[in-house]
Amino acid sequence: MAKKMHDTPMLDKLESGPWPSFVTGLKREAAKKDIMVDLLGQLETSYKTKKGYWKGGTVGVFGYGGGVIPRFTELKDEHENPVFPDAAEFHTLRIQPPAGMHYDTATLRKFADIWDKYGSGLIGLHGQSGDIMMQGCTTANVQPAWEEINAMGFDMGGAGPALRTSMSCVGAARCEMSCYDEAKALRTIINANIDDMHRPALPYKFKFKFSGCPNDCVNSIQRSDMATIGTWRDNIQVNEQQARDYMKGHGMDKLVNDVISKCPTRAITLRNKADAVTGDSISTVAVDDQHVMQIENHDCVRCMHCLNVMPGALLPGKDKGVTILVGGKSVLKIGATMGTVIIPFMKLESEEDFEKLNEMSRNIIDFFAENALEHERTGEMIERIGLVNFLEGLDIDVDPNMVNHPRANPYVRMDDWDEEVEKANERKAAA
Ligand code: HEM
Ligand code: SF4
Ligand code: SF4
């Protein structure tokens, strides 16, 4: 049993809405824990005064420079004593989850027990950073809590100007769209660069994220400095039985209005069987005895729409690989940016492929470490120095597929045009 609850009329209001309220969750923990009683007290004060009362600080565990997010209360009385003493320290441990984010129940129980013992009982799975967020404990409890978590085999995540904990989609574990082994890519790159997570020494944060296909379930294009997104370069695969099932269940209207008309590049056509066209780049599937759906794969931009609405009937091609983009981030020095393609396609199957990806990730971190200004993300650095200089620094050939944004300039420089086209074609043939 915890101490008596503070009056929280404003927080109580939040429980009256139609959605489950975080306040209800916090109160449940507060029935057991003084730290949560006082957290609610401070939060109510913030709602009243419309001010935040938390400041950061320096709290860590032995051997690590990051991973703990310290929060100290600034809500003090006239004698400088915390108004809510049991929540005067409310630190968070960022713990790296397993790639793919699956747990067995025994692991979750152990986390819960450790956090009941040392912390507030509040665990976030998973934070925006992708971490297991063990939220709310005192400075004294950070080290012993960490030791028990570490003994389970888990490692500290990233915070501060450092490499951050990574995220991969669930991918190959249970998604038919997956185009590579996301968990392996994540672990390869993070394990190889772990020093930069545990000993913050970069100009600012750096994030890798991994999505198995262009659906980009972890939003890697917006939220990571280097995004690895699965794709394919041959034809969309088809499954006739599933396509017929779709047609039976949904009918012609839905097929036309929800699938074919919504292809952004009009790559799909519906034809009478007798009028079906043939070609190396065409995927054809019968949807009933009379009609076939045909996709011109050269026109497909891998938006994933048709594959998503006809799951199983249409699937990624067989020649799978990844596209690499850099520079995604939220608002900082400049507004939010999405990643720019620097590698349109590379295979990611053999050990050598993974090593190549690993090497590129290291080169990008090194370039960022040497060239970014303090508190500047990769996307801003590229904007400042120019994409061409970034590519040159990384020894990556410029490719016509690297489109940063649509043309805004009517003038075209034609010097060495033919040679450049030749080079691009050679590279394409060699890829
Ligand atoms: C005015 C008050 C606050 C502001 C403006 C603020 C701002 C932020 C921002 C911008 C983020 C990044 C979110 C993201 O990555 O999507 C963040 C994350 C975080 N904040 Fe705060 N914060 C505030 C109060 C607090 C308090 C009271 C605590 C704990 C006592 C806290 C603990 C954290 C933690 C643990 C994270 C990481 C969450 C995650 O990785 O998902 N913050 N905060
Ligand atoms: S990004 Fe693609 S592969 Fe990964 S979970 Fe989402 S749909 Fe599946
Ligand atoms: S995945 Fe390709 S074919 Fe399908 S809707 Fe998107 S662009 Fe069109």
Side-chain angles (χ1 to χ4, degrees):
M1 262 313 270
K3 65 185 188 181
K4 194 173 158 296
M5 293 279 277
H6 306 286
D7 279 341
T8 54
M10 295 188 84
L11 290 177
D12 299 347
K13 275 248 157 84
L14 295 177
E15 292 184 280
S16 62
W19 307 108
S21 168
F22 75 97
V23 174
T24 311
L26 296 186
K27 281 184 179 172
R28 203 159 46 220
E29 288 306 308
K32 298 181 284 184
K33 301 255 182 196
D34 290 346
I35 188 172
M36 293 304 274
V37 175
D38 275 6
L39 182 87
L40 284 162
Q42 172 154 336
L43 202 53
E44 177 74 16
T45 313
S46 280
Y47 272 85
K48 254 187 250 153
T49 61
K50 299 188 179 159
K51 280 190 191 152
Y53 296 100
W54 300 100
K55 64 172 180 195
T58 315
V59 179
V61 295
F62 293 122
Y64 289 74
V68 180
I69 305 172
R71 287 291 179 271
F72 294 93
T73 186
E74 286 187 305
L75 198 57
K76 307 270 178 73
D77 62 19
E78 64 277 20
H79 308 294
E80 281 298 298
N81 293 319
V83 177
F84 297 102
D86 285 308
E89 296 168 349
F90 201 86
H91 313 314
T92 293
L93 270 69
R94 277 192 162 153
I95 306 297
Q96 279 188 65
M101 299 178 166
H102 283 68
Y103 304 87
D104 61 7
T105 51
T107 304
L108 293 176
R109 275 193 198 95
K110 260 195 221 162
F111 277 142
D113 288 344
I114 292 171
W115 211 236
D116 265 340
K117 186 166 155 197
Y118 295 109
S120 69
L122 193 67
I123 301 177
L125 290 175
H126 298 92
Q128 275 293 317
S129 50
D131 294 278
I132 303 163
M133 307 293 292
M134 313 292 279
Q135 290 167 319
C137 87
T138 59
T139 308
N141 277 352
V142 166
Q143 182 70 32
W146 160 242
E147 277 164 19
E148 291 201 19
I149 295 165
N150 194 208
M152 289 169 69
F154 283 83
D155 200 0
M156 197 62 102
L163 174 61
R164 297 303 184 84
T165 301
S166 182
M167 281 173 104
S168 79
C169 70
V170 67
R174 60 181 164 87
C175 177
E176 70 270 30
M177 305 296 188
S178 169
C179 293
Y180 68 100
D181 186 342
E182 306 83 2
K184 178 172 172 154
L186 185 158
R187 279 272 70 91
T188 303
I189 288 187
I190 293 301
N191 289 5
N193 296 297
I194 200 80
D195 258 8
D196 271 307
M197 186 177 302
H198 295 327
R199 279 156 274 281
L202 296 176
Y204 197 38
K205 63 179 94 161
F206 191 99
K207 301 179 182 178
F208 293 108
K209 293 197 198 301
F210 302 86
S211 276
C213 80
N215 275 332
D216 196 7
C217 289
V218 298
N219 288 347
S220 64
I221 194 169
Q222 289 143 303
R223 302 199 302 152
S224 66
D225 299 276
M226 175 174 153
T228 303
I229 302 181
T231 186
W232 65 94
R233 58 182 170 181
D234 55 348
N235 296 345
I236 288 175
Q237 297 187 72
V238 298
N239 178 311
E240 182 170 332
Q241 189 53 51
Q242 304 247 28
R244 283 174 178 265
D245 287 351
Y246 174 92
M247 183 70 164
K248 268 197 210 111
H250 296 82
M252 184 62 90
D253 289 6
K254 283 254 165 27
L255 183 73
V256 171
N257 297 326
D258 281 359
V259 186
I260 297 171
S261 316
K262 292 217 168 110
C263 170
T265 50
R266 309 211 172 158
I268 316 175
T269 36
L270 186 70
R271 292 193 169 93
N272 279 320
K273 231 177 194 166
D275 301 329
V277 292
T278 49
D280 289 347
S281 59
I282 293 173
S283 306
T284 303
V285 63
V287 291
D288 58 23
D289 290 341
Q290 211 190 330
H291 298 98
V292 292
M293 195 171 113
Q294 297 204 292
I295 302 173
E296 170 47 87
N297 284 279
H298 284 159
D299 291 337
C300 166
V301 290
R302 311 321 189 233
C303 83
M304 296 301 289
H305 175 72
C306 63
L307 293 89
N308 290 338
V309 285
M310 295 180 73
L314 303 175
L315 283 169
K318 288 185 184 143
D319 187 9
K320 294 172 171 146
V322 295
T323 297
I324 312 236
L325 305 94
V326 292
K329 53 162 219 57
S330 188
V331 177
L332 187 65
K333 292 191 173 171
I334 58 172
T337 52
M338 298 228 263
T340 300
V341 171
I342 61 157
I343 303 288
F345 185 90
M346 69 177 265
K347 293 297 276 183
L348 195 53
E349 280 167 7
S350 66
E351 289 304 320
E352 293 83 67
D353 297 337
F354 278 93
E355 201 29 59
K356 214 166 116 191
L357 185 76
N358 193 18
E359 207 173 290
M360 188 184 313
S361 72
R362 187 63 240 172
N363 290 346
I364 292 177
I365 294 184
D366 284 343
F367 189 90
F368 172 67
E370 280 163 28
N371 294 286
L373 301 177
E374 238 2 58
H375 220 257
E376 183 178 62
R377 290 285 290 274
T378 312
E380 283 143 347
M381 174 190 72
I382 293 173
E383 179 102 351
R384 181 170 52 76
I385 67 173
L387 181 61
V388 169
N389 291 321
F390 175 73
L391 294 171
E392 216 163 73
L394 288 173
D395 215 4
I396 295 174
D397 289 324
V398 178
D399 186 289
N401 291 304
M402 296 167 190
V403 179
N404 199 354
H405 57 78
R407 293 183 64 84
N409 182 332
Y411 296 99
V412 184
R413 288 199 43 180
M414 303 286 285
D415 16 338
D416 301 332
W417 182 273
D418 292 337
E419 289 84 342
E420 289 303 324
V421 171
E422 192 114 318
K423 270 198 259 168
N425 285 340
E426 268 168 28
R427 277 199 300 275
K428 207 169 158 192

